Amino acid sequence: MAYTAADVKKLRELTQAGMMDCKKALDETDGDFDKAVELLRVKGAAKAAARAAEREASAGLVATSGNALISLRAETDFVAKNEAFVAAAQAIADAANASKVGDAEALKAVSLGDKTVGETVDELARTIGEKIELGEVAYFDGTTTVYLHKKASDLPPTLGVLVEFEGDEAAAKQAAQQAAALKAQYLTSDEVPADVVASEKDVLTKKTLEEGKPEAAVARIVEGRIGAFFKEIVLLDQESVFEAKKSVKQVLDAANTTVKRFARFEVGA
């Protein structure tokens, strides 16, 4: 079956494949346009899988919609500010909010137009030619506020914090900014996994002994240093960046505000 230059052009527009790839596909399928489309999509998926195995999606953006926050990852900042990439990220965030899904794997199965979110991400990777993947996803069903941060004015936000709270939104927004700036990992010390605490205690015990501290005092010194460790990674225990000599919890309490949970997503860090 013969094909024309117009067929090649139409195939390129439909699949976003290169001209030579389109010609080869039409040659291999004996000019059958539909089979050529299928062949290019299969090859595109294979190429995307190969790129995924070799490359790292270390750039990207965060997007929010309603009570949802998501990250969409790409290989380069150039792609992260691509209009199609930004639009896809926003559509995915909208889908997370509409479906009330806070898990990445579950969100991939959610419908987005005539495709699923997962299919949309895969197609975007084939079209753009980079490894692209859905990153973290959060959805909170209570009252929320969000803080987004750009590392450069010409780039989309790469850091986002979603906070579920009761009380004053301005105070909750400050807590979100605090978590963004000081890289809080947990809301309370009770949330820090036991193995993380045990590992840190082991490191601090060895360090304290190496410093020549009296062995009888080591346990007490380590407990004090664990408190300092919590102040680094626990949001409510951190010193407020807005009010000196007060913890985040003290600032929130003064505003009659309770942070119930938060999610902090950062790409390209």
Side-chain angles (χ1 to χ4, degrees):
M1 186 187 300
Y3 63 87
T4 67
D7 292 328
V8 176
K9 181 175 183 293
K10 182 180 178 183
L11 191 58
R12 286 190 69 188
E13 291 173 350
L14 184 63
T15 65
Q16 301 296 310
M19 182 179 71
M20 291 306 298
D21 288 333
C22 290
K23 291 182 71 174
K24 286 179 183 178
L26 287 166
D27 286 338
E28 289 181 34
T29 58
D30 214 15
D32 188 310
F33 190 85
D34 291 336
K35 287 184 179 179
V37 170
E38 183 178 352
L39 178 63
L40 284 171
R41 284 179 171 163
V42 169
K43 287 185 175 181
K47 286 181 180 179
R51 283 193 296 270
E54 298 170 359
R55 301 177 184 176
E56 183 179 356
S58 57
L61 57 76
V62 293
T64 185
S65 176
N67 286 21
L69 178 70
I70 66 104
S71 68
L72 188 63
R73 298 178 177 272
E75 293 178 44
T76 63
D77 287 339
F78 179 77
V79 165
K81 61 183 179 181
N82 175 287
E83 288 185 8
F85 185 86
V86 173
Q90 188 57 57
I92 292 169
D94 291 342
N97 184 58
S99 60
K100 300 182 179 181
V101 170
D103 174 79
E105 287 305 312
L107 183 58
K108 288 178 184 178
V110 170
S111 295
L112 186 57
D114 59 352
K115 302 180 181 68
T116 65
V117 168
E119 290 169 343
T120 298
V121 173
D122 290 344
E123 183 173 297
L124 193 62
R126 291 194 296 270
T127 301
I128 291 178
E130 274 198 9
K131 178 180 181 180
I132 295 173
E133 59 187 19
L134 180 63
E136 304 95 332
V137 175
Y139 175 85
F140 298 156
D141 52 13
T143 302
T144 62
T145 189
V146 68
Y147 171 70
L148 301 179
H149 179 76
K150 294 183 177 183
K151 66 181 181 182
S153 60
D154 64 331
L155 294 175
T158 55
L159 170 60
V161 179
L162 178 71
V163 168
E164 182 179 349
F165 71 97
E166 292 179 351
D168 180 62
E169 183 172 4
K173 177 79 77 172
Q174 283 191 349
Q177 293 171 310
Q178 171 94 24
L182 270 64
K183 301 183 179 181
Q185 298 175 42
Y186 307 96
L187 179 62
T188 69
S189 57
D190 290 341
E191 292 180 5
V192 183
D195 61 329
V196 173
V197 177
S199 176
E200 185 67 16
K201 281 187 175 181
D202 183 56
V203 170
L204 291 174
T205 298
K206 291 175 181 176
K207 180 179 178 182
T208 304
L209 287 169
E210 288 173 1
E211 290 171 351
K213 303 295 184 185
E215 197 163 327
V218 169
R220 175 177 54 80
I221 294 170
V222 168
E223 283 305 311
R225 289 178 172 177
I226 279 290
F229 171 66
F230 285 151
K231 287 181 180 179
E232 290 180 5
I233 64 172
V234 174
L235 178 59
L236 295 184
D237 290 353
Q238 288 181 345
E239 182 176 343
S240 172
V241 296
F242 296 96
E243 296 191 38
K245 299 182 179 180
K246 287 186 178 181
S247 69
V248 172
K249 185 178 187 307
Q250 288 172 326
V251 173
L252 288 168
D253 286 347
N256 294 316
T257 301
T258 300
V259 170
K260 301 179 73 175
R261 51 182 169 166
F262 76 95
R264 182 187 187 278
F265 300 158
E266 183 173 11
V267 298

